[in-house]
Amino acid sequence: MANLTAWERLTIVRNKNRPTVRDYIPLIFDDFYEMHGDRCFGDDRAIIGGVAMLGGTAVTVIAEVKGRNIEENKESNFAMPHPEGYRKALRLARQAEKFHRPIICFIDTPGAFCGIGAEERGQGEAIARNLMEFFDVKVPIVSIVLGEGGSGGALALGICDELAMLENALYSVISPRGCASILWKDASREMEAANISKITADDLLQFGVCEVIIKEPLGGAHTNPQQMAESISEYLFDAVDRLSKIPLAKLLDSRYNKFRKIGVFEE
Amino acid sequence: MLEDIFNVVKSRFDPEPKNQSSGKVKIPSDLLFKCPRCQNVMFMDDFKGNAKVCSACGYHARLTAAERLDMTADKGSFIEYDKGMASLNPLDFPDYSQKLQELKQKTGMNEAIITGECTIRTRPCVIGIMDSHFMMASMGSVVGEKVTRAFERAAEKNLPVVLFTASGGARMQEGIISLMQMAKTSAAVGRHSAKGLLYITVLTDPTTGGVTASFASLGDIIIAEPKILVGFAGRRVIEGTIKQRLPDDFQSAEFLLQHGFIDMIVERRKMRKTLSRLISYHQPEREGVYHG
Ligand SMILES: [Zn+2]
């Protein structure tokens, strides 16, 4: 599957049988207890979070939730979070820090929600605050892109010490559709846009945005969710163990430098 | 839904009325200014003499970075950082290099922001000014790097930062690299802040998308100019989602004040004094007011 185009991968991640974080959590963790609410406005169902055991280690899990059917999608707003979702994520991250738990974020969103309430409650501020504060959260953070990593809505859970992507996952600043409609005033040319935008896991590895690609079963994660979960699990055990051994000051400096070095320019 | 973070500003108001009645003479745009908010027409000289503020409704029109600097910094005090830094085309994105070249010639700028050190009524600070005339001041590598360096240098030198924001969002042509500038700049704001230093954001027309969702929303004090557009998602994207027209003041400075996301709205003619006073409140040792 090494030579699939971005468009072919997009078709795989949009397959309605592709496993979501709700499928993975019971396969990867023991005893997940969900924690609700941002203590301010409400409980956004597009982002869930809580505590769980990863083997013998207590961890905090924060995840964007795609639905597996119409009811679930209605509940989780098609994985498009509101500000209160990002604020819940930050609250749980600070709680993890207090109790020295590593944080595992799962990214799977077409983007932050665009609506009146989202603007009234400060969508921009909520994302910005997460970007700044996650750099200062004093425990290891691992983020994994499961399917679609859509723009700022994905990045708000993407400030981490290590970013992994499932083999077919995509991570982009704008959807191929949005890109096509701006570039050519023609949203139907999204296939073309996907293929020029450099949004695959391989591309992101080249750019130094992602560190690890987790192989998917042949045909995509949906062909064997159990096997996919085992691969994610194996990676997480290794990453959490590895990152937990790094002294805190060094960890935070590397986190800063991971993003600091990204940029292409001349002077 | 990813249009959220990108270039969403195009126009909240139609720049040209669609059906100019046949009898009327078309307005020569270099002699007259027509306010996009209230349609008031002013002579260009009067408009410029009024700091490019509409005399009827108070709309604060867009400035070039040079105009803003001239209005803000003490004469001759500005020392520019990273003047020569320019964008490349990391994705080999179609037409991007050519577009950059054209804009450089048209605006006389290398990129969409200038940064440096200056004094404002004798108060030293690091200053950044974004200019929407350069590709709607979208944030690519250069904007991200210059903002980041500005905060890092200010942290080294114990200086406050004053940043005039304007942006259509992330720069699509630089793909994921442009998205990462949001993270990079926010991290630098955090480090500057951790040193106990002051960051004042001045939101100007228009500030949207990925810039709103990063350093523009992170000031210790957030000021906006009157009547400007500030928001995360594009108006048309939201209208498309909710299938109804949004009220005119949606995502205005006044809307943000009402919802608790900015500290104050300050008119252009009072900006210099406001900035210098606010900076002085955060440097008690310079004032000789309090020595513990
Ligand atoms: Zn007006």
Side-chain angles (χ1 to χ4, degrees):
Chain A
M1 304 226 300
N3 41 20
L4 294 184
T5 64
W7 180 252
E8 287 162 335
R9 294 185 194 280
L10 192 62
T11 315
I12 293 174
V13 302
R14 285 179 181 169
N15 184 303
K16 65 175 174 25
N17 294 318
R18 187 168 176 86
T20 73
V21 76
R22 284 194 195 281
D23 300 299
Y24 290 130
I25 285 176
L27 295 171
I28 295 171
F29 304 100
D30 295 317
D31 291 336
F32 173 69
Y33 284 92
E34 188 176 351
M35 307 287 169
H36 293 272
D38 70 341
R39 300 293 189 271
C40 184
F41 178 81
D43 184 42
D44 189 346
R45 307 303 299 143
I47 293 180
I48 62 168
V51 290
M53 295 300 288
L54 179 71
T57 310
V59 296
T60 285
V61 178
I62 303 171
E64 284 161 336
V65 191
K66 285 234 167 113
R68 293 166 296 194
N69 51 51
I70 190 71
E71 282 77 38
E72 283 187 6
N73 263 321
K74 237 170 119 180
E75 186 195 334
S76 69
N77 196 32
F78 295 85
M80 293 183 286
H82 280 76
E84 49 273 22
Y86 297 117
R87 292 184 181 124
K88 172 167 71 177
L90 182 58
R91 179 178 79 80
L92 294 176
R94 288 298 187 190
Q95 188 189 71
E97 175 182 51
K98 177 175 175 184
F99 298 106
H100 310 288
R101 287 192 293 263
I103 298 169
I104 296 160
C105 293
F106 292 99
I107 295 170
D108 199 2
T109 179
F113 188 65
C114 297
I116 294 176
E119 294 291 323
E120 286 174 339
R121 300 196 289 280
Q123 190 71 287
E125 194 275 345
I127 293 172
R129 183 126 338 255
N130 280 19
L131 300 188
M132 183 169 82
E133 299 223 359
F134 271 78
F135 278 101
D136 179 54
V137 170
K138 297 172 185 68
V139 289
I141 308 173
V142 179
S143 294
I144 302 179
V145 188
L146 294 177
E148 277 182 272
S151 203
L155 185 62
L157 298 189
I159 306 304
C160 57
D161 301 303
E162 205 165 282
L163 181 76
M165 291 178 72
L166 301 197
E167 188 182 351
N168 292 310
L170 305 163
Y171 193 0
S172 62
V173 70
I174 182 167
S175 68
R177 200 175 170 76
C179 179
S181 71
I182 290 166
L183 201 57
W184 302 301
K185 313 258 178 285
D186 181 2
S188 70
R189 290 169 73 181
E190 61 177 327
M191 176 158 71
E192 221 176 319
N195 291 337
I196 61 166
S197 298
K198 306 225 164 62
I199 56 175
T200 67
D202 274 333
D203 294 325
L204 269 65
L205 197 69
Q206 302 272 313
F207 290 134
V209 171
C210 126
E211 281 77 28
V212 173
I213 298 176
I214 304 174
K215 268 193 94 58
E216 295 191 19
L218 200 64
H222 61 282
T223 62
N224 194 339
Q226 182 75 40
Q227 191 192 326
M228 188 71 254
E230 277 165 25
S231 302
I232 297 172
S233 191
E234 198 181 317
Y235 163 69
L236 280 175
F237 274 89
D238 170 65
V240 167
D241 183 52
R242 211 161 15 84
L243 295 169
S244 297
K245 287 180 183 142
I246 300 173
L248 182 64
K250 196 179 164 203
L251 187 77
L252 296 184
D253 270 346
S254 326
R255 192 182 301 163
Y256 187 84
N257 291 326
K258 167 176 155 57
F259 292 89
R260 179 66 188 86
K261 64 179 197 292
I262 300 173
V264 179
F265 51 85
E266 61 181 3
E267 31 186 347
Chain B
M1 216 42 64
L2 294 192
E3 296 74 359
D4 60 358
I5 212 94
F6 179 68
N7 216 330
V8 285
V9 191
K10 284 273 156 34
S11 69
R12 74 205 281 214
F13 5 73
D14 281 324
E16 299 279 338
K18 287 197 176 62
N19 49 345
Q20 290 210 333
S21 58
S22 49
K24 280 187 189 154
V25 182
K26 202 162 191 268
I27 299 167
S29 59
D30 49 343
L31 288 179
L32 296 173
F33 166 76
K34 182 166 185 184
C35 176
R37 278 205 80 99
C38 75
Q39 319 298 316
N40 172 48
V41 176
M42 294 170 77
F43 284 110
M44 192 52 89
D45 285 349
D46 295 344
F47 173 60
K48 285 181 177 163
N50 199 32
K52 295 200 171 175
V53 174
C54 171
S55 58
C57 77
Y59 166 67
H60 280 46
R62 297 168 191 182
L63 300 178
T64 66
E67 287 170 327
R68 178 75 65 182
L69 184 67
D70 193 53
M71 268 178 208
T72 310
D74 296 336
K75 296 279 169 274
S77 72
F78 182 64
I79 302 161
E80 188 168 358
Y81 293 156
D82 307 309
K83 191 177 167 60
M85 197 188 292
S87 293
L88 297 168
N89 187 358
L91 268 57
D92 287 323
F93 205 87
D95 305 328
Y96 183 41
S97 302
Q98 190 194 334
K99 199 167 176 187
L100 286 168
Q101 212 48 50
E102 285 167 13
L103 278 163
K104 280 185 199 178
Q105 300 205 326
K106 198 174 145 200
T107 62
M109 297 178 73
N110 272 329
E111 253 294 337
I113 188 170
I114 58 169
T115 54
E117 280 168 45
C118 72
T119 58
I120 301 174
R121 293 183 14 139
T122 77
R123 304 283 165 192
C125 65
V126 165
I127 191 169
I129 303 172
M130 302 180 80
D131 189 331
S132 62
H133 302 88
F134 195 104
M135 213 176 279
M136 201 35 94
S138 57
M139 175 159 63
S141 297
V142 173
V143 170
E145 182 71 18
K146 285 174 96 166
V147 168
T148 302
R149 287 189 190 179
F151 278 95
E152 287 177 342
R153 285 175 186 150
E156 257 167 51
K157 297 182 171 189
N158 286 309
L159 286 171
V161 175
V162 175
L163 207 53
F164 289 86
T165 64
S167 184
R171 189 169 294 176
M172 179 181 73
Q173 293 86 345
E174 293 189 23
I176 197 73
I177 295 171
S178 84
L179 188 71
M180 294 301 135
Q181 305 309 308
M182 292 168 62
K184 180 167 120 179
T185 52
S186 300
V189 173
R191 291 213 157 177
H192 178 259
S193 180
K195 285 199 74 183
L197 297 166
L198 173 68
Y199 166 31
I200 302 177
T201 312
V202 185
L203 305 171
T204 75
D205 197 56
T207 298
T208 64
V211 167
T212 299
S214 61
F215 59 87
S217 293
L218 295 172
D220 298 296
I221 299 172
I222 303 180
I223 299 173
E225 289 195 311
K227 304 283 172 106
I228 57 152
L229 169 68
V230 193
F232 173 66
R235 191 182 176 85
R236 282 181 304 180
V237 176
I238 300 173
E239 285 180 339
T241 308
I242 62 172
K243 313 277 183 239
Q244 67 189 62
R245 232 189 91 76
L246 291 162
D248 282 344
D249 71 340
F250 187 69
Q251 295 180 323
S252 63
E254 293 73 18
F255 173 92
L256 260 78
L257 187 70
Q258 190 197 335
H259 286 95
F261 288 96
I262 59 175
D263 291 287
M264 61 185 93
I265 295 173
V266 175
E267 287 173 39
R268 203 163 270 172
R269 63 191 173 85
K270 292 184 180 157
M271 192 65 79
R272 222 171 97 79
K273 182 172 180 194
T274 304
L275 290 172
S276 79
R277 291 303 293 148
L278 289 174
I279 291 170
S280 79
Y281 290 175
H282 296 80
Q283 296 172 320
E285 76 285 2
R286 284 178 196 277
E287 292 291 280
V289 173
Y290 178 70
H291 294 284

